[in-house]
Amino acid sequence: MTEHIVITGIGLFTPCGTQPDDFWELLLHNKTVLAPLRKFSPAPFPATSPVGIIPFAAPAGQDRAIFLLQAACRTALQHASLSPHQSRGYKLGLSLGTSLGGISTVLDYWHGQANTPISQGTYQGVADSVATALGCSGPTLTFNLACASGGQAIAAAQYALQHGRADIMLAAGVDVLNPFVFHGFACLHAMAPRVVRPFDKNREGLGLGEGAGVLVLETATNARKRGASILAQLASVALSMDAVHISAPDRQGRGLARAIELCLQQAQLATEAEIAYINAHGTATRYNDMMEAKAIKLALPQIVNQVPVSSIKGAIGHTLGAAGVLEAIVALLALRHMQAPPTCGLVHPDPECRLAHIIGTPQRLQGQAVLSLNAAFGGQNVAVLLRKPS
Amino acid sequence: MKASVITGMGVISPGYRGSAKVPCGQGNCGSIDLDQFELNQRRLRFADRLTCLGLGAALYAPPFTDLAPEQIGVVLGIDYGVYLSCYEFDQGLSQADPSPGIFPYTVPNILAGQISIHLGLQGPGITVTGCWTAGLEALGCAADLLTSGAAEGILAGAVTVQGTALKVFGCTDITEGAVLFTLRRAEGPAITHWNASTRLAGENQQHFLRRHWQTLPWQSADVQSLWGNLPAEYGEQVLGLPTTDIRTHLGELLATSGPAALALALQQPGSKLITVVPPDYRRAVSLVIST
């Protein structure tokens, strides 16, 4: 029988800082950190587009993605009661999901303004730098599934533990905001000109954010042996592809529905009713939110009208490769507190996105498991299911 | 136990393109003409060289005719190739004309998306990035998906392209190529183990490789040869195995080093160990192939 994989620590770096409590309070109080862009000129796009920027600069000579990820990893290890000395005693690995990695450093080289080593700018360079700093001796892997990267990072960490390639894995996601990313989404007309309103009938697009999220994963046996407190069980991760379009979702939601169905099947849930909460991808773009509502309805017809759903993208923005892990952390906190945050920005639910939305105030939960969903450019989808520890 | 059996491959290399032989030649692959495949050209309007090479190799690979689309996945290893579109998008941006057609190609997993669209594959789609090791990591991840039952068939491998925008990474003399294998969840000789390790600060290269190889659950009698992108004496001194450094045959293939080494190794009898390392030996990735 396959060994259970459990979560024993969380770490994050968002515009609220590195403390999970501050992050959770922001979400529960239906507040947002998104504000009009000031960091760089958004021309030719509207300066009013809300973004979520972390108000700390990376040290000179260090890529910003590395700075955010390293801080989040250290917080996560501390949260898992692993001192730097203790963690070196284990075969520690890092599985990273990122959409654009150290692109800021690469752009600096192309613009002749380099002040960090180019090795930090590659996709793998971000994970390599952090893994070396943490003294990792196990696998260091980097995945790029755009907005679904975090979910795959979790899946790969799970496999590494199940096959004995590592004793402890950090499943992480990171992405930073810069003009390249901002203008990329702006030229696709995906950005909200004012407020980010996931699932709202007046939604106008997404707001970009930046951040890092980390889960500490290990086998239940390893966690018990070292006396770690178990926050949740990683029940299952499943992936699928739409095979429809490279930058737009399958409007019928069939791809994401397949990921959800496979995820539940792999987790061997007795009934859909065990699901207490769904943390949705909820980007606030017209087609994503409609697709996601259809996918949930297709995959979970028995509970679609009851299971509480919310998105955090109106609160901290779309953090791209970090989103999958940060949102898994939200799902985990919801399971721990049996309470889920509302969707910030959602006032008038779109009838075409009919779900049991959490609006305005947090909602008490009932059930044993929580689901976190992401969908990405390239038509990749991922579903992550967490369960209360047994 | 059902394992990850290699059933075929699709190759585009400087000296060969097709599904019957192994990659050969060094340098540039030349023009990539996908017209013979009757593709939806509208969907490829902004496709970059990475996409053309990768999609071409995917189309040369034998199809999974007996599996449902949702049972078939794509797992790719990518090195620097995606930066060609990043550079092009950035050039447009500097002239206040960012292209919405190019922007999606700045994300590495668009190639997996294009392959899924053109071949109708709806299983897991994964893209691994890691300049030298990504190809073997992709094959390892594919093996994990197959052995866990998350997919029944997977198209897995790596793609490497050249471009002047990549000079910032120090890649001036590389070989282009795309090597994608069709892997099945079936009984038979296959990828039996894989592992990845990170070198500790200050650790000697040979000591690191020794530690890395010790993490693989195989006996030296189980493996007859070592293939990869490391000096032959390393494998011979540490493992006592005849070692082939594929760079002497194919040049510097970056992420495609691992899949190309595997393609060459499969031509020889006996079980093999495939190992790939980046030039700084910061990581090492190995596959064990039984025959």
Side-chain angles (χ1 to χ4, degrees):
Chain A
M1 186 180 157
T2 311
E3 172 85 271
H4 282 170
I5 305 302
V6 297
I7 300 168
T8 54
I10 57 173
L12 49 81
F13 203 157
T14 72
C16 317
T18 57
Q19 295 305 314
D21 288 350
D22 296 341
F23 177 59
W24 188 237
E25 284 298 304
L26 174 100
L27 299 177
L28 289 184
H29 288 98
N30 203 23
K31 289 182 181 168
T32 183
V33 296
L34 301 182
L37 183 67
R38 288 193 194 88
K39 193 177 172 187
F40 45 79
S41 165
F45 303 108
T48 54
S49 290
V51 294
I53 291 181
I54 294 175
F56 299 102
Q62 187 175 54
D63 181 84
R64 186 169 175 76
I66 294 172
F67 166 61
L68 300 184
L69 179 61
Q70 195 162 305
C73 284
R74 291 200 191 282
T75 313
L77 287 169
Q78 196 177 4
H79 191 237
S81 304
L82 283 161
S83 68
H85 175 71
Q86 286 170 321
S87 62
R88 280 177 168 81
Y90 292 98
K91 198 159 49 174
L92 178 67
L94 172 62
S95 173
L96 175 65
T98 181
S99 189
L100 288 156
I103 187 76
S104 302
T105 292
V106 178
L107 291 168
D108 286 347
Y109 271 82
W110 283 333
H111 299 163
Q113 299 162 349
N115 56 10
T116 52
I118 189 66
S119 59
Q120 293 190 11
T122 61
Y123 290 99
Q124 180 69 38
V126 175
D128 272 348
S129 299
V130 175
T132 301
L134 297 174
C136 292
S137 59
T140 305
L141 303 166
T142 303
F143 298 97
N144 302 81
L145 282 71
C147 314
S149 301
Q152 167 55 22
I154 297 170
Q158 178 188 28
Y159 286 127
L161 293 164
Q162 284 171 342
H163 290 273
R165 295 180 205 123
D167 302 320
I168 296 173
M169 285 295 293
L170 300 171
V174 70
D175 260 311
V176 301
L177 187 56
N178 58 27
F180 182 95
V181 179
F182 181 89
H183 288 289
F185 280 93
C187 74
L188 291 173
H189 304 289
M191 307 277 283
R194 288 172 291 273
V195 181
V196 178
R197 300 185 180 284
F199 299 112
D200 196 286
K201 69 179 181 186
N202 297 318
R203 67 189 182 280
E204 296 178 287
L206 56 82
L208 287 170
E210 60 180 1
V214 182
L215 296 172
V216 180
L217 299 176
E218 53 194 305
T219 61
T221 307
N222 198 68
R224 285 194 202 101
K225 200 168 148 188
R226 69 178 190 88
S229 58
I230 294 173
L231 306 177
Q233 182 197 333
L234 174 61
S236 172
V237 186
L239 293 103
S240 70
M241 293 184 287
D242 285 349
V244 169
H245 195 277
I246 58 164
S247 58
D250 171 3
R251 293 193 189 173
Q252 302 309 312
R254 290 165 296 201
L256 182 59
R258 277 196 303 277
I260 298 170
E261 286 161 0
L262 182 60
C263 188
L264 269 52
Q265 192 186 321
Q266 288 175 175
Q268 298 178 325
L269 273 195
T271 155
E272 289 177 13
E274 280 190 50
I275 301 173
Y277 165 65
I278 298 175
N279 187 280
H281 191 50
T283 58
T285 59
R286 181 138 301 276
Y287 293 122
N288 172 82
D289 292 3
M290 261 170 25
M291 173 281 289
E292 199 167 7
K294 284 182 181 170
I296 294 170
K297 191 175 179 181
L298 267 177
L300 304 168
Q302 309 298 323
I303 59 166
V304 65
N305 297 322
Q306 293 91 44
V307 62
V309 177
S310 65
S311 158
I312 64 165
K313 290 192 173 73
I316 66 160
H318 191 344
T319 55
L320 306 178
V325 179
L326 283 171
E327 291 164 14
I329 289 174
V330 173
L332 182 148
L333 292 171
L335 190 65
R336 298 281 296 166
H337 297 287
M338 289 315 284
Q339 185 181 29
T343 298
C344 186
L346 173 58
V347 180
H348 304 292
D350 184 345
E352 290 196 85
C353 304
R354 206 180 291 278
L355 295 167
H357 295 291
I358 309 176
I359 305 173
T361 53
Q363 185 167 328
R364 303 302 305 174
L365 304 179
Q366 284 185 323
Q368 300 297 313
V370 287
L371 192 59
S372 181
L373 308 177
N374 291 107
F377 268 14
Q380 273 95 347
N381 308 290
V382 62
V384 178
L385 191 81
L386 307 180
R387 202 184 247 147
K388 283 183 178 175
S390 49
Chain B
M1 181 182 158
K2 288 193 174 183
S4 313
V5 176
I6 298 165
T7 56
M9 64 179 161
V11 174
I12 293 185
S13 71
Y16 175 73
R17 54 192 68 187
S19 58
K21 287 201 296 187
V22 294
C24 57
Q26 297 188 20
N28 192 287
C29 285
S31 65
I32 307 298
D33 181 7
L34 299 178
D35 286 352
Q36 59 173 306
F37 295 110
E38 296 176 8
L39 303 174
N40 182 339
Q41 294 299 329
R42 205 175 130 259
R43 287 179 161 169
L44 290 168
R45 233 177 93 205
F46 295 93
D48 54 13
R49 189 161 178 82
L50 179 80
T51 304
C52 291
L53 249 76
L55 184 55
L59 291 159
Y60 280 124
F64 295 95
T65 48
D66 58 332
L67 296 179
E70 61 271 19
Q71 294 177 306
I72 311 164
V74 180
V75 186
L76 300 177
I78 306 285
D79 42 61
Y80 300 114
V82 71
Y83 288 113
L84 295 180
S85 282
C86 291
Y87 184 76
E88 202 178 341
F89 181 77
D90 188 55
Q91 291 289 100
L93 189 54
S94 65
Q95 292 157 23
D97 185 25
S99 165
I102 294 171
F103 183 66
Y105 289 92
T106 66
V107 187
N109 62 311
I110 291 303
L111 172 54
Q114 284 284 21
I115 291 173
S116 78
I117 291 166
H118 288 280
L119 275 67
L121 312 182
Q122 298 175 346
I126 295 173
T127 302
V128 194
T129 48
C131 307
W132 275 262
T133 52
L136 273 200
E137 287 163 354
L139 290 167
C141 290
D144 284 346
L145 289 172
L146 290 168
T147 49
S148 72
E152 291 292 329
I154 293 188
L155 198 53
V159 188
T160 296
V161 294
Q162 297 174 344
T164 51
L166 310 185
K167 282 184 180 166
V168 293
F169 302 106
C171 302
T172 50
D173 191 18
I174 57 171
T175 291
E176 287 191 320
V179 179
L180 300 184
F181 294 97
T182 49
L183 303 175
R184 295 290 298 258
R185 184 168 180 253
E187 310 282 348
I191 298 174
T192 55
H193 304 289
W194 80 280
N195 203 359
S197 304
T198 308
R199 183 155 72 107
L200 295 166
E203 191 175 18
N204 168 288
Q205 286 180 1
Q206 276 203 33
H207 181 270
F208 167 55
L209 285 173
R210 191 184 301 273
R211 174 169 67 78
H212 166 69
W213 283 325
Q214 281 171 350
T215 64
L216 288 157
W218 54 277
Q219 306 294 317
S220 55
D222 297 342
V223 174
Q224 273 86 53
S225 58
L226 171 69
W227 299 70
N229 72 338
L230 65 175
E233 60 265 29
Y234 273 20
E236 283 155 10
Q237 284 168 12
V238 177
L239 297 172
L241 289 176
T243 303
T244 305
D245 179 354
I246 64 143
R247 292 174 297 182
T248 58
H249 301 272
L250 299 172
E252 182 53 82
L253 267 159
L254 302 180
T256 311
S257 303
L262 175 56
L264 293 183
L266 289 172
Q267 304 299 302
Q268 304 289 329
S271 299
K272 296 104 186 166
L273 176 65
I274 315 288
T275 296
V276 169
V277 292
D280 59 5
Y281 284 67
R282 220 161 169 169
R283 281 170 285 118
V285 181
S286 293
L287 296 184
V288 179
I289 309 293
S290 73
T291 55

